[in-house]
Amino acid sequence: GDSVTQMEGPVTLSEEAFLTINCTYTATGYPSLFWYVQYPGEGLQLLLKATKADDKGSNKGFEATYRKETTSFHLEKGSVQVSDSAVYFCALIRSGNTPLVFGKGTRLSVIA
Amino acid sequence: DSGVTQTPKHLITATGQRVTLRCSPRSGDLSVYWYQQSLDQGLQFLIQYYNGEERAKGNILERFSAQQFPDLHSELNLSSLELGDSALYFCASSVAVKVGAGTEAFFGQGTRLTVV
């Protein structure tokens, strides 16, 4: 079945450091890919998405490129802030009546 | 604020009991999804309803059931509760039957269930 694999956390970075959170997926066909963010005590919010190969999703300084050849959708940010501390989830949805499939999440802590 | 409302925010109950979690989707959204988030299993899809009808089923136990009412709110019923059912239960809604290009799922803040 469909699955998403994320790098294990937690990830701890200093402010202004470069962030990469790896995400790879397994799915038939051409899924749409998403990154969701969960801040402490809150629900998940869509951070960015890409719906076809080579698309780049971006939002709030975060970027991820849909790489079909490597089945990956790695999240990057050039300079993290303390306010980026949260849990980040990679997710996919395939065509048809299938729901969002999530990775296990990666907890990011940014220290000043 | 996502516009998705879940009640209650916290629930503590004993093993063997039954509880009902409620979700009000965003205005105009026809799809409601239920997810269970636990530390070891991550986010597990339970079930989806679209305009009152069940559309997709995930790893939902037989002790659990859900429904979507004519006003589009949804309830998740958990019965014969076990310690392992302790988790955060999320509801999400979207305007379409399937999240994808042009549509996204909006999540509520969740109900934290603790079974003691």
Side-chain angles (χ1 to χ4, degrees):
Chain A
D2 301 338
S3 66
V4 174
T5 303
Q6 291 180 235
M7 61 187 288
E8 295 282 330
V11 174
T12 302
L13 295 174
S14 298
E15 210 166 20
E16 299 183 3
F18 185 85
L19 168 71
T20 299
I21 300 178
N22 289 340
C23 170
T24 56
Y25 67 90
T26 301
T28 55
Y30 300 91
S32 294
L33 302 174
F34 305 82
W35 277 100
Y36 278 81
V37 59
Q38 184 180 24
Y39 297 103
E42 298 185 13
L44 280 75
Q45 301 172 25
L46 179 65
L47 181 59
L48 54 84
K49 66 181 179 185
T51 57
K52 60 183 188 296
D54 300 325
D55 266 3
K56 177 186 280 189
S58 60
N59 185 26
K60 299 182 182 179
F62 291 89
E63 292 183 341
T65 301
Y66 188 144
R67 301 282 188 206
K68 188 155 180 65
E69 65 275 13
T70 54
T71 62
S72 64
F73 192 54
H74 304 321
L75 182 69
E76 295 182 337
K77 185 174 186 184
S79 176
V80 293
Q81 305 300 312
V82 172
S83 57
D84 294 326
S85 298
V87 181
Y88 292 82
F89 292 89
C90 186
L92 69 80
I93 193 163
R94 197 162 42 84
S95 59
N97 292 331
T98 55
L100 278 166
V101 174
F102 287 90
K104 289 198 172 184
T106 303
R107 182 176 298 278
L108 170 67
S109 295
V110 180
I111 54 178
Chain B
D1 182 4
S2 67
V4 178
T5 304
Q6 289 188 247
T7 57
K9 284 191 168 45
H10 301 277
L11 198 48
I12 301 175
T13 190
T15 54
Q17 295 299 304
R18 171 190 168 94
V19 297
T20 297
L21 313 184
R22 183 187 169 100
C23 170
S24 294
R26 287 190 327 149
S27 177
D29 283 0
L30 299 176
S31 270
V32 169
Y33 307 78
W34 285 98
Y35 283 85
Q36 179 192 56
Q37 185 181 30
S38 58
L39 281 175
D40 55 343
Q41 293 292 320
L43 268 164
Q44 298 288 315
F45 169 69
L46 297 178
I47 198 163
Q48 178 200 358
Y49 281 83
Y50 177 77
N51 203 20
E53 293 188 2
E54 182 184 305
R55 290 305 296 258
K57 212 166 189 175
N59 299 323
I60 187 166
L61 300 172
E62 284 191 13
R63 301 183 285 109
F64 296 1
S65 64
Q67 54 184 326
Q68 186 179 28
F69 295 87
D71 67 352
L72 301 177
H73 90 271
S74 177
E75 293 181 355
L76 179 66
N77 299 297
L78 315 176
S79 62
S80 303
L81 285 167
E82 302 174 359
L83 296 178
D85 297 326
S86 296
L88 196 53
Y89 291 83
F90 282 109
C91 167
S93 75
S94 70
V95 63
V97 66
K98 185 179 77 68
V99 170
T103 63
E104 67 174 273
F106 294 84
F107 282 76
Q109 293 195 340
T111 293
R112 182 169 296 283
L113 173 67
T114 303
V115 182
V116 297

